[in-house]
Amino acid sequence: MATYLETLDFLFSLHRFGIKLGLEAITDILERLDNPQHRYATVHVAGTNGKGSSSAMVAAILQAGGYRVGLYTSPHLIDFRERIRVQGTDISEEAVCGLIAQIRHTANSLTALTFFEFTTALAFLHFRNEQVDIAVIEVGMGGRFDATNVLNPIGVLITGISFDHEAYLGDSLQMIAQEKAGIIKQKAPIVLGPMPEDITQIFETQARKWSAPIFRMGKEFSFLETSATNFTYQGLGWTIPAIQANLLGRHQMVNATNALAVLETGVDGTFPVSQMAIRIGLQSVKWRGRLEVVDRNPLLIVDGAHNLAGAQVLFDFLYSQIHDGAGRKLILVVGMMRDKNLQGFLRVFLPLVDHLILTQPRMERAASVDELKRLVDREDLVPCLLADSWEAVCQAKEMANPSDVICVTGSLFLVGEVLNRLTQPGSPT
């Protein structure tokens, strides 16, 4: 059997096939594997932003409720194994090697599986072998043609709609919503996070087609912010006061509310959860790389925001931090993929930033520091260019006073690189 590193080399080599939206290949390999995804209950989670955090919350609450839970998310930050978890534990290297060997042996030699299709089949097999009660499955991209869209879920959550992956999903919010609406299934309850009315109507039309009940934030369920960290959930039958999530940012109240709504409407009838399980789950949930504080004095935050909606959420949080202390400066370290809205992303932060360091994740499709520099349209701000991401972080720490804020953002790939260096033995923090 191949070693773990050899197996990863094989998997990552599949990126050469690019992104292939369609269900034929994944359906074929899963049928050859006896459709492991139908051996346990599933919750399917889509959306432009917040789907990873919401998925992690659903999984944490169910686990606190005593169920055996699988969680499939993407991308990983440091190790591939993070994508596939059971009871909060990453899949083992041995399981990755054994199951990938099984999939390769079973696959049709005439069908080229992509990286994400292989990984999705791996996750579904692992969850079957681990005999999970329920698995929370995050959509990779879009929905309709995403490799995860082979499920018969007991609940569907669509966290929100904004611009991202336009080359694949369309260049209007309506087109993007149509793609994400493709995960709606026969009679499976659908929870919709906050979105404009005309976008909501796209999901309502699809829901009627499948006789699926639909629940909308601000209508059938809502939350009331009672302090900077606490909120009350109000659903169809649930009223839960004084909830606190172990994740920073007001947007995590929205994500937690979405998570509770899909539990109440789709899951609770089969897998009941108590208020105690809800509180324990939300207070213990961890989701790395999203407003994650990795050091203090100066405050060092990493956040994987990479589109305009994510940038605005991060800006709001940083604004509150900067205005907490007089003379507190913001040092922003940014590296992005070339296919993102680079100028729009940078412009969100330009009114707030004091020092800007531009860097480049070690990815072929990463924008160069020179490409980013050309898009900085604030005359009094001269960015520092450091292509090596770790050098960029070290430079930020040298520039910072103990009271300042350093934020590393623009790509989950960049955040993963930085976290990897920070967690290596002997790395300065």
Side-chain angles (χ1 to χ4, degrees):
M1 187 186 297
T3 67
Y4 179 61
L5 292 179
E6 289 168 343
T7 299
L8 289 190
D9 284 343
F10 163 73
L11 276 175
F12 291 133
S13 76
L14 300 176
H15 282 304
R16 69 184 184 275
F17 296 122
I19 295 170
K20 182 181 67 180
L21 296 178
L23 302 180
E24 295 82 4
I26 188 67
T27 299
D28 177 72
I29 186 59
L30 290 173
E31 285 179 350
R32 291 167 180 269
L33 295 166
D34 197 25
N35 285 312
Q37 76 279 9
H38 297 328
R39 301 283 286 276
Y40 40 84
T42 54
V43 175
H44 208 186
V45 182
T48 307
N49 290 304
K51 59 184 184 292
S53 299
S54 298
S55 297
M57 291 175 180
V58 172
I61 292 167
L62 286 167
Q63 189 175 328
Y67 303 108
R68 188 163 178 79
V69 185
L71 176 63
Y72 178 44
T73 58
S74 60
H76 62 273
L77 291 177
I78 299 174
D79 188 338
F80 171 83
R81 298 183 302 118
E82 298 165 22
R83 294 169 177 255
I84 303 167
R85 297 173 177 167
V86 174
Q87 298 299 85
T89 300
D90 298 351
I91 185 173
S92 68
E93 293 183 2
E94 293 76 15
V96 171
C97 296
L99 294 176
I100 289 295
Q102 180 182 348
I103 296 167
R104 294 180 72 176
H105 177 74
T106 309
N108 183 343
S109 60
L110 300 178
T111 302
L113 292 169
T114 65
F115 170 85
F116 192 68
E117 287 166 341
F118 248 101
T119 306
T120 300
L122 167 62
F124 292 167
L125 263 182
H126 182 61
F127 295 153
R128 183 189 69 186
N129 291 353
E130 289 292 312
Q131 298 181 310
V132 301
D133 300 310
I134 184 168
V136 184
I137 308 295
E138 179 194 356
V139 167
M141 183 192 298
R144 181 165 60 118
F145 292 126
D146 187 77
T148 64
N149 197 24
V150 290
L151 304 172
N152 295 316
I154 62 173
V156 171
L157 167 60
I158 300 170
T159 59
I161 303 295
S162 52
F163 287 105
D164 204 2
H165 302 298
E166 291 94 323
Y168 298 97
L169 305 181
D171 56 7
S172 73
L173 291 182
Q174 289 76 14
M175 293 174 70
I176 293 170
Q178 289 283 4
E179 290 300 317
K180 296 186 189 299
I183 71 168
I184 294 173
K185 296 295 191 301
Q186 187 75 32
K187 297 185 178 178
I190 307 145
V191 167
L192 297 183
M195 58 186 72
E197 186 61 34
D198 61 323
I199 301 301
T200 299
Q201 289 171 3
I202 292 170
F203 293 103
E204 290 174 341
T205 299
Q206 187 75 353
R208 283 193 296 272
K209 176 181 173 183
W210 293 108
S211 302
I214 195 163
F215 306 95
R216 301 153 296 181
M217 181 174 285
K219 293 187 177 179
E220 288 79 16
F221 69 96
S222 60
F223 75 98
L224 175 66
E225 186 176 353
T226 52
S227 74
T229 57
N230 284 42
F231 69 98
T232 295
Y233 171 81
Q234 180 65 62
L236 280 79
W238 291 2
T239 299
I240 309 174
I243 302 172
Q244 187 169 14
N246 185 37
L247 296 173
L248 289 175
R250 183 182 182 276
H251 66 293
Q252 296 294 5
M253 295 186 188
V254 176
N255 291 333
T257 299
N258 283 334
L260 290 172
V262 78
L263 285 166
E264 181 184 14
T265 61
V267 179
D268 190 57
T270 311
F271 300 94
V273 289
S274 64
Q275 281 203 26
M276 180 66 73
I278 288 168
R279 296 183 189 282
I280 291 172
L282 289 178
Q283 287 171 8
S284 63
V285 66
K286 294 180 174 61
W287 194 236
R288 299 210 67 186
R290 284 75 169 180
L291 280 183
E292 181 178 353
V293 175
V294 293
D295 201 8
R296 297 185 184 274
N297 303 318
L299 188 66
L300 174 56
I301 297 168
V302 296
D303 187 87
H306 53 271
N307 54 38
L308 294 186
Q312 191 59 56
V313 165
L314 177 58
F315 175 90
D316 292 344
F317 179 79
L318 293 174
Y319 183 87
S320 69
Q321 293 296 308
I322 295 303
H323 283 260
D324 270 357
R328 202 173 201 188
K329 292 185 173 62
L330 173 63
I331 303 167
L332 198 69
V333 180
V334 178
M336 301 187 71
M337 297 299 108
R338 190 177 286 113
D339 60 346
K340 301 300 179 183
N341 184 346
L342 306 178
Q343 187 167 47
F345 187 92
L346 289 167
R347 279 180 172 168
V348 170
F349 299 99
L350 289 179
L352 191 62
V353 68
D354 296 287
H355 301 289
L356 178 62
I357 302 175
L358 301 176
T359 190
Q360 184 174 343
R362 289 190 295 272
M363 297 284 290
E364 203 170 298
R365 59 189 182 93
S368 71
V369 292
D370 291 314
E371 286 176 281
L372 291 173
K373 182 186 177 184
R374 288 194 290 270
L375 301 174
V376 178
D377 53 2
R378 196 180 113 186
E379 291 184 6
D380 65 327
L381 184 66
V382 180
C384 174
L385 309 184
L386 288 169
D388 182 275
S389 60
W390 185 241
E391 285 185 24
V393 172
C394 292
Q395 177 63 29
K397 291 175 76 69
E398 285 185 20
M399 296 168 68
N401 293 317
S403 62
D404 291 341
V405 177
I406 301 168
C407 180
V408 180
T409 190
S411 167
L412 282 167
F413 298 108
L414 172 65
V415 167
E417 284 182 17
V418 172
L419 287 175
N420 191 33
R421 289 299 300 264
L422 286 168
T423 54
Q424 286 177 3
S427 287
T429 57

